[in-house]
Amino acid sequence: MEKKSYAVAIDLGSSKAAVAVGGYDEAGLLDIAALSERPVEGMRAGRIENIELVSRAVKEAVTEVEDELGIRITEAYAGISGEFVRCARHTDHVYVYDPQNGVCRRDVEALFDRMRNVQAPDDETIMERVPQNYVVDDCQEVKNPVGSFGKKLSSTFNFILCQQVPMQRLDMALRRLGIRMMAAFPDAIATSDAVLLPDEREEGVALVDLGAETTDVAVYYRNVLRYVATIPMGASAINNDIRSLSVPEKYVENLKCRYGSAVARLAPENKLIRVSGRTAKDAKDILLRNLATVIEARMTDIAEFVLEEIRDSGYATKLTCGIVLTGGGSRLKDVEVLFREVTGLDVRLATPETGLTEEALLRASTPAAATVTGLLMKGAQLAPCVVAEKPSMPAAPADEPARRPAAPAAPAAAAQAEPARPEFRHVPPRHPEAEAEASRPEPRRNDPKPGEVRVPQPAEEPAAVRPEVAAEPVRREPETSREEDAAAETTHSKRDWGRIFKRAIEKINDGFNAAEDEEI
């Protein structure tokens, strides 16, 4: 079976599961060969609560991709997001090996080795180690320390931590489908690879990924990841508020995306929208201004939480490029206006557009596909996933006729064609004498031999009248001669009862005599 090399990414969000397959072409652009999304249940704020429902949704998305490309996925990169993902900073130092010649690569590697030895808490695991800066002799910060003169090299690393239980559940959900998780990345970091521009990373930007139940925040400055946080609130909180207007749940999402607005003053003041109910009498009219007021209240809470995380990062005043919004929640109308008013920063809506081919841009043309596209980019940069090609059905040889039953309307044509598999069992012909011999019944013991003439005998008596018949085949008497047996067989019509009793008494006496002989 031929094997092909693809990168496979699986984004397991709170409301959908997305699977993307692709790789980099010769020009260094990412080509997405297939992308599939399926709604998922059993997730809560990025944490798997029902592994059966989650595995079922992922399997549907994986199966669609496999059928489209004719492959079987056995390995994949995955993303994870939730309030259980956090960052922590750690500072350490090493002494320069040769201060007269300056800092060398050996000193930097020694500093990295010390950072690799840093252990996470017992219930957490380290996902990323990102160096923030390098300082020589505790006074001079440099971007590249190699070549700098000094005796001491120190650095601060940003550790991205994740709790072990959510990570183990994610790995378990994929293993149920026969997929090995090659690596897991924080969604906030993976999404930035797909939507952020190089200038934004350098000048300072905050990436905000609005999901269903979580909102990821990643802060970049001087092309370095400075801060990562996850807010346990997303666009689904707005849906719960809209339901308070007596709107059935199946109409909430469509009503929010089609007629809703994140800024109440921008919504029509006197325009009504009729929402169907359980019956025609239950239909009600909703003022769009009231709908926008409900949406604005909840979205303002999310924007304020985002601003708080940006301030906690310590780079709120250094974000020249402001905020980049992406994710499924960013499709809401006027959401960028609200974030601009709440945070006071410039806001841009983004879809995957960095380093993609034209076909990939068409497949990942929505903000909701930003995370799975970023995961695919990071996975393709590390190593491809080995996937097996599905075996195709063997084609029938050209000289072999089709195995179809002959039509009853054309018996002549069916007789001429030679079927590939006979429908009837072939019986070889027999010689007439052999057939006669085979059809002849086997002779019984009492049948006459060739040339022998026997007198017809009357019918035998019923078994109830002849009790000795059942016992006679079991009891054999070696003392009886063959001539007497033949005479008894040929004369069934009359029994000599006296002779039979006499023989039985003689046999009993012989048994007593044998017993006396043994005792002597």
Side-chain angles (χ1 to χ4, degrees):
M1 182 182 299
E2 182 183 358
K3 293 184 178 180
K4 295 184 178 181
S5 295
Y6 288 106
V8 182
I10 298 178
D11 173 29
L12 189 56
S14 299
S15 61
K16 66 177 179 64
V19 178
V21 179
Y24 284 100
D25 59 6
E26 297 178 356
L29 299 178
L30 182 69
D31 182 26
I32 301 178
L35 192 151
S36 175
E37 295 181 355
R38 284 292 184 273
V40 65
E41 296 180 356
M43 296 287 295
R44 179 175 299 176
R47 190 190 301 267
I48 297 177
E49 297 291 342
N50 189 318
I51 193 171
E52 185 68 25
L53 297 177
V54 172
S55 299
R56 186 183 308 169
V58 176
K59 182 179 180 180
E60 293 177 358
V62 169
T63 302
E64 182 178 355
V65 172
E66 290 179 338
D67 295 341
E68 181 178 351
L69 300 179
I71 62 175
R72 183 170 57 86
I73 296 175
T74 58
E75 296 177 341
Y77 296 96
I80 191 168
S81 174
E83 59 180 344
F84 44 81
V85 177
R86 67 183 183 92
C87 64
R89 295 183 180 182
H90 178 70
T91 302
D92 205 343
H93 68 276
V94 294
Y95 290 99
V96 179
Y97 179 76
D98 189 2
Q100 294 182 356
N101 294 324
V103 180
C104 62
R105 177 59 58 183
R106 177 180 177 180
D107 299 324
V108 177
E109 291 295 334
L111 182 59
F112 269 78
D113 290 339
R114 292 185 61 87
M115 292 298 181
R116 294 189 188 100
N117 293 330
V118 176
Q119 300 296 324
D122 295 338
D123 59 339
E124 291 182 321
T125 181
I126 300 176
M127 301 182 67
E128 298 283 346
R129 294 177 175 88
V130 184
Q132 301 295 295
N133 56 14
Y134 296 98
V135 179
V136 179
D137 288 340
D138 296 333
C139 60
Q140 182 183 358
E141 182 176 348
V142 294
K143 185 175 183 180
N144 186 3
V146 178
S148 301
F149 289 96
K151 297 181 179 181
K152 179 180 178 182
L153 176 64
S154 60
S155 176
T156 299
F157 273 55
N158 196 0
F159 289 82
I160 311 301
L161 305 175
C162 178
Q163 293 182 7
Q164 294 183 2
V165 173
M167 185 76 70
Q168 293 171 356
R169 292 182 182 179
L170 176 61
D171 182 54
M172 187 186 306
L174 297 182
R175 288 187 180 274
R176 289 168 65 97
L177 306 178
I179 300 175
R180 184 176 72 91
M181 187 173 67
M182 298 184 65
F185 305 105
D187 286 348
I189 300 178
T191 305
S192 61
D193 291 348
V195 299
L196 291 185
L197 302 175
D199 292 341
E200 292 175 335
R201 294 171 177 266
E202 182 66 25
E203 298 297 332
V205 67
L207 174 67
V208 179
D209 185 1
L210 293 173
E213 295 185 1
T214 60
T215 300
D216 295 327
V217 180
V219 178
Y220 284 84
Y221 181 71
R222 297 299 183 221
N223 204 25
V224 176
L225 176 65
R226 304 294 182 174
Y227 186 78
V228 171
T230 299
I231 302 170
M233 181 183 296
S236 62
I238 302 175
N239 294 9
N240 296 333
D241 296 339
I242 296 177
R243 290 186 61 188
S244 64
L245 300 176
S246 301
V247 178
E249 184 176 2
K250 59 182 178 180
Y251 302 125
V252 169
E253 185 67 22
N254 186 33
L255 180 65
K256 180 186 68 175
C257 297
R258 188 173 181 180
Y259 302 102
S261 175
V263 182
R265 71 172 188 276
L266 299 180
E269 186 175 358
N270 298 321
K271 186 175 181 179
L272 298 174
I273 182 67
R274 172 157 293 187
V275 180
S276 301
R278 292 173 297 179
T279 62
K281 295 181 179 181
D282 295 337
K284 61 180 302 185
D285 296 332
I286 297 179
L287 193 65
L288 293 186
R289 177 64 65 87
N290 295 339
L291 177 63
T293 302
V294 173
I295 296 174
E296 181 182 10
R298 185 60 61 186
M299 187 57 70
T300 301
D301 294 340
I302 297 177
E304 290 177 350
F305 284 128
V306 169
L307 179 59
E308 184 178 353
E309 295 294 342
I310 293 176
R311 289 173 178 171
D312 291 342
S313 69
Y315 292 87
T317 59
K318 299 179 181 180
L319 303 182
T320 305
C321 295
I323 296 176
V324 174
L325 286 179
T326 189
S330 64
R331 296 177 298 174
L332 185 62
K333 185 180 178 181
D334 301 325
V335 64
E336 72 278 11
V337 178
L338 182 137
F339 268 82
R340 189 178 297 115
E341 294 178 353
V342 174
T343 62
L345 300 173
D346 292 337
V347 180
R348 177 178 74 90
L349 295 180
T351 58
E353 56 185 358
T354 304
L356 301 179
T357 62
E358 295 182 359
E359 293 78 5
L361 290 174
L362 295 177
R363 291 182 181 272
S365 59
T366 62
T371 300
V372 70
T373 304
L375 291 172
L376 187 61
M377 285 183 171
K378 294 189 72 67
Q381 292 171 359
L382 293 179
C385 304
V386 179
V387 296
E389 185 176 1
K390 285 187 177 181
S392 57
M393 297 299 295
D399 55 347
E400 182 180 358
R403 298 180 180 179
R404 296 180 180 178
Q416 295 178 0
E418 182 181 358
R421 180 180 296 175
E423 299 183 2
F424 302 96
R425 182 169 58 88
H426 176 67
V427 180
R430 293 182 178 179
H431 194 273
E433 296 180 1
E435 294 181 357
E437 184 68 22
S439 61
R440 183 179 302 166
E442 297 181 0
R444 295 177 298 179
R445 186 175 61 177
N446 296 333
D447 291 344
K449 299 180 180 179
E452 180 182 359
V453 179
R454 289 190 179 184
V455 179
Q457 302 295 333
E460 296 181 357
E461 297 177 0
V465 183
R466 300 166 50 238
E468 73 279 0
V469 175
E472 189 174 2
V474 178
R475 183 180 60 189
R476 295 184 180 182
E477 302 168 354
E479 295 82 357
T480 306
S481 62
R482 295 182 178 181
E483 291 78 4
E484 293 178 354
D485 292 341
E489 292 178 359
T490 55
T491 55
H492 292 287
S493 59
K494 186 176 181 180
R495 300 283 183 178
D496 191 354
W497 296 101
R499 188 167 62 89
I500 293 175
F501 290 148
K502 182 179 178 180
R503 291 172 53 190
I505 294 173
E506 291 177 355
K507 185 175 181 180
I508 294 174
N509 293 333
D510 294 341
F512 287 141
N513 295 332
E516 294 175 357
D517 293 341
E518 290 178 0
E519 292 178 358
I520 295 173

